[in-house]
Amino acid sequence: MAIGKYSRVDGRKSTNYCSTATIVVFVALCLVGVWMLMSSSVDPVQKTDLSSQDSNTDFSSQDSKADLKEKVTDKFSNQFEDSSGEQAEDATKEESKTTKSEDESNSEVNETETQETQEEKTVEESSGGNSNEEDSKKEGEGSDNEESNSGGQESNPSTETNENSQSESENEKTETESNPNEGGDKQETEESVEEPKKKEDEKAKEEFPAGAQSEILKETTTESGSWSTQAAESESEKSSQKSKSSKDASDYKWKVCNVTAGPDYIPCLDNLQAISKLPHRDHYQHRERHCPDEAPTCLVSLPEGYRQSIKWPTSREQIWYYNVPHTKLAEVKGHQNWVKVTGDHLTFPGGGTQFIHGALHYIDFIQQALPDIAWGKRTRVILDVGCGVASLGGYLFERDVLALSFAPKDEHEAQVQFALERGIPAISAVMGTKRLPFPSKVFDIVHCARCRVPWHIEGGKLLLELNRVLRPGGYFVWSATPVYRNDTENADIWKAMSELTKSMCWDLVKISRDELNEVGAAIYRKPSSNECYEKRPQNEPPLCNKADEPDAVWNVQLQACIHKVPEKVAEHGSQWPELWPQRLEKVPSWLSGSAVGVYGKAAPEDFTTDNEHWKRVVSASYLTGLGIDWSSVRNVMDMKAVYGGFAAALKDLKVWVMNIVPITSADTLPIIYERGLFGMYHDWCESFSTYPRTYDLVHADHLFSDIKKRCKLQGIIAEVDRILRPKGTLIVRDDVETITEIEKMAKSLQWKVQLTYSKDNEGLLCVQKSLWRPTEVETISSAIA
């Protein structure tokens, strides 16, 4: 319209020279104006195109940083393809804008094509060829809308502004006006899809929290704002370049471990070279951990004839023989109903040395002897010392009690392996020269059924270690021959134990006899105050030095001393927890509001936020969206548990969770026990004290990015492979670079990638272990007899 107006002015006639000159000048000015207006009329189109390209460039940069594509099983594809509804919709809208802008500009912007082409080329180069991906999406959009959604999700947009949304709305409105029929159809289609997409997007935010929620995903705080910083952008680009140069799946070479222990190899317990050099073995030093200098990166072989483990609760009574092909216990302890060989199965009648007629009867016997024990209410977490095949712990589940059982890897062949294959919590450990890997004052009961531990020797050093881990006011249940037999040996042990427990201020609450099993049990109670210690005529065993930290346990030598009972409310163990199940949700009374929690908030708020976060993530994502058959999951490990929120969120499932607090993380393990859960300390640069193939699911939240700074990531993944049962699942939440690296390792191990997802430089990976083993062999000289 402006051009036509000025043309009419240019056509006017004048007989006056001045008028003519004036007109000439005026026309010149008008031409300049026309040129400027033409430029102005083109700019919005250019800006629209560039806005679209810039947005896609951001997505591509995020994609480039991660080098991560979403892979979803068919069964769960719809949920995760639509879970970023806004992202997928944005991608479709951007394509529509681009098409519309090109149509509008064909008749009026030919002169700017060269400029736009150059700009597009620059954007393509900076985005790593994203335009080609956009073209591919356009071609497939009409035939496969789900594929378009998936592409939108892979873009993983990290920013979304109101200005963009407004611009999209205006473009859609203009397009509808220019072609009412076509626009009406499009609007109807989008309206039919928009609402479920929004719902899915809301769900996605719960599954993989962003913004304010993301602060509880890792133990750092990030200053967020509308604009990225140069430091952040540069760091992202360096990470992207580093990721691109990292190994491909084919670069990882795996071999099978050639070791004497074969399929039962535990690196830190089968270091035969180190064990052979021990100067003494009188304190069971040879049963303690002796880790190789560097964690093995080879894979443990499978037993011949291995089958997928039987599901709980059937597994409590029987397991596949070829999964744990050992018969010694069946031969030696068969008459005590520990384990029997029955065809292709090993069966477990539920007996033990002290409860031949079944664990349930024995559990009732203890409850009747002392009703205050209150299984599943006052008593929730117990430690079972010298557990055998852990039948006691297997049947305590029926009473809402968690029993953490342990026994050494010794001549009682594979007893802990039997327990774990059955689906019962257990670790390989020994009462030797070092403290147990548990905090102080956390177990409600410590139990020993004829565990053959010489408690009374060397000043009662071993019994004093149990005193350290026993909660003030908690009970020690000792079911052993000195309680009910009067021969000389047993009488001498009983006398020594009586003197020792009295000097420790333990109160002998009850001695009871089980007529059915013809055994007896003595039940002692640890004091809940320091009054008795102060009144003792002799300070023997001595009170521990004030500088002795009772929670310091990693490779710490045992001391024959008594730790005083905490008297301040702010110390854990000063009060008995709430009854189960209330204690699971209750903020521990000793968590002070003035203390700062792991994630930077006041400790009680930190605890609550973490608890709510994991409830949301588990219910919205883990239980429904990862392709996990939870009916096959029994043994679970959280490799970095923090407050135990992940385990707490699984409360209603028939699973148990081993909560690990790494030795380099904040010491939150006492909080986990306070909630009625259990766990232990561990250094993930070393192997864990469990047999191979003993966990169905392993969970790692922001662990690998931290631990790989100290040790090789390939060694950690080899350890995860050792721990996981075939068909078991690994879930990893971490930064995108680490997720990418682990995904490549998983592929090299022939594991099935169930899901990868990334947003805001945070990633989620879910993979399933396969039965694959490499053909090449690596000899571990330290593990060869």
Side-chain angles (χ1 to χ4, degrees):
M1 292 179 66
I3 294 176
K5 177 180 178 181
Y6 293 128
S7 295
R8 286 195 294 270
V9 171
D10 189 42
R12 292 176 182 172
K13 297 180 181 180
S14 175
T15 56
N16 188 291
Y17 176 80
C18 292
S19 297
T20 301
T22 302
I23 290 172
V24 170
V25 173
F26 185 77
V27 169
L29 292 172
C30 288
L31 290 174
V32 173
V34 168
W35 177 81
M36 293 177 67
L37 286 172
M38 287 179 66
S39 299
S40 176
S41 67
V42 172
D43 280 345
V45 179
Q46 290 177 313
K47 288 178 180 178
T48 302
D49 287 344
L50 289 173
S51 174
S52 174
Q53 293 179 34
D54 286 344
S55 179
N56 286 329
T57 300
D58 288 342
F59 301 165
S60 178
S61 294
Q62 190 74 349
D63 214 26
S64 175
K65 278 190 296 185
D67 193 23
L68 189 61
K69 293 184 179 178
E70 183 184 43
K71 301 170 183 68
V72 192
T73 56
D74 292 339
K75 181 177 179 181
F76 298 94
S77 60
N78 290 338
Q79 175 177 353
F80 279 90
E81 284 174 353
D82 295 337
S83 66
S84 290
E86 291 179 2
Q87 300 172 14
E89 190 175 357
D90 289 345
T92 305
K93 288 178 181 179
E94 295 292 356
E95 292 166 6
S96 300
K97 287 198 302 180
T98 304
T99 304
K100 172 183 174 295
S101 300
E102 288 174 357
D103 291 340
E104 287 181 349
S105 61
N106 280 340
S107 60
E108 59 184 4
V109 241
N110 291 333
E111 64 189 86
T112 63
E113 283 182 353
T114 303
Q115 178 183 356
E116 288 183 334
T117 301
Q118 183 63 36
E119 290 171 341
E120 289 172 358
K121 182 178 179 182
T122 304
V123 172
E124 285 176 6
E125 291 174 350
S126 65
S127 64
N130 194 59
S131 298
N132 292 333
E133 294 178 7
E134 288 294 320
D135 292 339
S136 299
K137 292 178 188 175
K138 291 177 186 176
E139 290 174 6
E141 183 178 2
S143 60
D144 190 351
N145 189 48
E146 288 185 359
E147 187 175 345
S148 175
N149 287 342
S150 178
Q153 186 175 353
E154 287 173 11
S155 298
N156 296 319
S158 58
T159 58
E160 186 174 322
T161 63
N162 293 331
E163 183 178 351
N164 287 341
S165 301
Q166 183 177 355
S167 176
E168 289 168 2
S169 301
E170 291 174 354
N171 287 334
E172 289 172 357
K173 182 177 180 181
T174 305
E175 186 175 24
T176 304
E177 289 175 353
S178 64
N179 193 342
N181 293 331
E182 182 181 349
D185 293 340
K186 179 179 178 181
Q187 182 177 2
E188 183 178 350
T189 302
E190 289 190 352
E191 285 177 355
S192 66
V193 177
E194 186 175 9
E195 186 173 347
K197 280 184 177 180
K198 287 181 178 179
K199 290 180 180 178
E200 291 292 348
D201 186 62
E202 290 174 0
K203 189 174 182 180
K205 289 178 180 178
E206 291 183 340
E207 293 168 353
F208 201 86
Q213 295 176 344
S214 67
E215 63 185 336
I216 61 175
L217 292 178
K218 52 185 178 179
E219 297 173 31
T220 57
T221 54
T222 304
E223 184 177 348
S224 59
S226 302
W227 305 98
S228 178
T229 64
Q230 178 59 223
E233 291 170 352
S234 299
E235 189 61 32
S236 295
E237 178 58 23
K238 285 186 284 187
S239 297
S240 174
Q241 293 175 3
K242 183 178 179 181
S243 178
K244 288 178 181 178
S245 63
S246 63
K247 292 183 178 181
D248 293 327
S250 59
D251 293 332
Y252 292 100
K253 304 298 181 184
W254 302 96
K255 297 180 181 180
V256 171
C257 301
N258 176 25
V259 292
T260 300
D264 299 336
Y265 178 47
I266 306 175
C268 289
L269 298 182
D270 291 318
N271 188 350
L272 305 180
Q273 191 176 77
I275 292 172
S276 67
K277 296 178 181 178
L278 291 173
H280 306 288
R281 298 192 178 195
D282 51 346
H283 291 93
Y284 297 91
Q285 294 95 328
H286 57 299
R287 305 297 184 195
E288 295 180 327
R289 290 170 57 84
H290 302 280
C291 298
D293 294 334
E294 191 169 303
T297 57
C298 55
L299 308 180
V300 176
S301 60
L302 295 177
E304 187 176 350
Y306 182 85
R307 301 187 188 182
Q308 188 168 358
S309 299
I310 294 172
K311 296 180 180 179
W312 180 270
T314 306
S315 63
R316 185 174 61 185
E317 277 74 42
Q318 65 176 20
I319 62 174
W320 293 115
Y321 165 75
Y322 288 104
N323 287 12
V324 192
H326 302 295
T327 60
K328 184 174 181 179
L329 274 180
E331 296 165 1
V332 175
K333 299 289 186 180
H335 65 289
Q336 296 176 354
N337 283 337
W338 280 32
V339 56
K340 298 179 182 293
V341 180
T342 309
D344 287 340
H345 295 91
L346 291 163
T347 57
F348 301 86
T353 304
Q354 297 298 98
F355 41 91
I356 298 172
H357 297 285
L360 280 174
H361 169 79
Y362 179 77
I363 291 167
D364 289 337
F365 156 67
I366 294 173
Q367 175 76 70
Q368 291 163 7
L370 188 62
D372 285 348
I373 282 178
W375 295 124
K377 294 186 180 347
R378 184 181 188 270
T379 299
R380 165 64 180 173
V381 186
I382 79 167
L383 181 66
D384 188 17
V385 183
C387 62
V389 296
S391 289
L392 177 70
Y395 285 91
L396 276 170
F397 273 100
E398 295 184 8
R399 309 297 167 88
D400 274 339
V401 177
L402 282 178
L404 180 49
S405 303
F406 77 89
K409 185 177 183 180
D410 61 7
E411 61 273 5
H412 281 171
E413 190 179 36
Q415 53 187 330
V416 167
Q417 191 175 15
F418 282 131
L420 289 160
E421 183 68 18
R422 296 173 70 189
I424 302 171
I427 60 169
S428 290
V430 66
M431 298 289 293
T433 65
K434 298 177 182 178
R435 288 180 176 176
L436 295 170
F438 314 119
S440 66
K441 309 177 290 291
V442 291
F443 288 102
D444 304 333
I445 283 180
V446 176
H447 172 262
C448 166
R450 203 171 179 178
C451 50
R452 300 174 62 186
V453 177
W455 300 116
H456 59 288
I457 67 171
E458 296 193 354
K461 185 182 293 186
L462 300 183
L463 194 62
L464 288 166
E465 173 62 3
L466 294 190
N467 183 75
R468 183 186 68 83
V469 300
L470 184 61
R471 190 181 294 280
Y475 296 104
F476 174 61
V477 179
W478 188 39
S479 172
T481 54
V483 177
Y484 57 90
R485 290 182 182 173
N486 294 320
D487 58 87
T488 303
E489 181 183 2
N490 284 300
D492 289 344
I493 294 174
W494 174 256
K495 180 181 179 182
M497 275 290 286
S498 297
E499 293 175 355
L500 175 61
T501 52
K502 185 177 180 180
S503 67
M504 292 170 57
C505 293
W506 281 13
D507 181 21
L508 179 57
V509 179
K510 183 83 174 182
I511 298 178
S512 187
R513 188 173 179 86
D514 178 7
E515 298 297 338
L516 178 63
N517 288 306
E518 297 182 346
V519 300
I523 304 176
Y524 299 88
R525 185 175 185 270
K526 178 180 176 178
S528 53
S529 73
N530 294 308
E531 183 179 357
C532 173
Y533 298 143
E534 296 166 354
K535 292 182 177 179
R536 290 185 305 166
Q538 294 181 335
N539 186 31
E540 189 64 37
L543 292 175
C544 296
N545 190 292
K546 290 183 179 180
D548 188 326
E549 172 52 60
D551 290 336
V553 303
W554 194 249
N555 291 326
V556 173
Q557 297 295 310
L558 290 177
Q559 299 293 323
C561 62
I562 300 174
H563 290 95
K564 295 183 72 173
V565 172
E567 297 177 331
K568 298 179 181 178
V569 177
E571 294 183 68
H572 80 267
S574 60
Q575 299 180 34
W576 198 268
E578 296 280 335
L579 298 181
W580 177 264
Q582 288 80 11
R583 66 191 281 185
L584 183 68
E585 304 285 335
K586 179 78 172 179
V587 178
S589 59
W590 42 271
L591 273 188
S592 170
S594 60
V596 178
V598 172
Y599 305 113
K601 300 179 180 179
E605 183 185 356
D606 226 36
F607 173 93
T608 302
T609 304
D610 178 85
N611 192 43
E612 294 303 315
H613 162 70
W614 285 113
K615 279 184 182 179
R616 184 169 57 248
V617 170
V618 168
S619 63
S621 175
Y622 287 10
L623 296 183
T624 58
L626 300 184
I628 299 171
D629 177 10
W630 284 93
S631 68
S632 299
V633 176
R634 171 64 180 170
N635 305 351
V636 180
M637 175 182 285
D638 193 355
M639 297 179 74
K640 187 180 181 184
V642 190
Y643 296 115
F646 169 65
L650 298 175
K651 179 182 77 72
D652 295 330
L653 300 183
K654 298 297 183 181
V655 303
W656 61 270
V657 181
M658 177 64 76
N659 293 284
I660 303 298
V661 172
I663 61 170
T664 55
S665 296
D667 186 2
T668 52
L669 196 50
I671 298 173
I672 291 171
Y673 277 91
E674 190 82 0
R675 304 185 71 174
L677 306 170
F678 62 53
M680 56 187 287
Y681 301 106
H682 186 60
D683 181 357
W684 282 114
C685 289
E686 301 176 357
S687 79
F688 188 70
S689 293
T690 190
Y691 281 85
R693 304 171 303 280
T694 47
Y695 283 85
D696 301 301
L697 187 145
V698 173
H699 180 259
D701 180 37
H702 288 87
L703 169 73
F704 294 119
S705 57
D706 177 61
I707 205 71
K708 70 180 183 180
K709 299 172 185 175
R710 299 195 300 118
C711 44
K712 292 181 180 178
L713 188 56
Q714 189 170 352
I716 305 170
I717 297 302
E719 175 65 5
V720 172
D721 175 271
R722 192 185 71 84
I723 290 173
L724 264 181
R725 288 172 172 171
K727 304 295 183 182
T729 301
L730 169 65
I731 303 174
V732 183
R733 302 170 73 91
D734 221 307
D735 62 65
V736 168
E737 181 186 337
T738 302
I739 290 289
T740 304
E741 194 173 355
I742 294 173
E743 183 187 7
K744 289 176 182 177
M745 287 191 193
K747 288 178 178 177
S748 71
L749 288 163
Q750 311 298 317
W751 290 5
K752 180 181 179 182
V753 179
Q754 309 236 114
L755 171 77
T756 60
Y757 180 77
S758 64
K759 185 175 182 179
D760 298 335
N761 202 36
E762 293 294 320
L764 170 66
L765 172 68
C766 179
V767 290
Q768 184 184 59
K769 178 182 173 180
S770 69
L771 287 162
W772 176 82
R773 296 288 92 173
T775 56
E776 294 187 59
V777 173
E778 178 183 353
T779 298
I780 307 298
S781 57
S782 64
I784 298 292

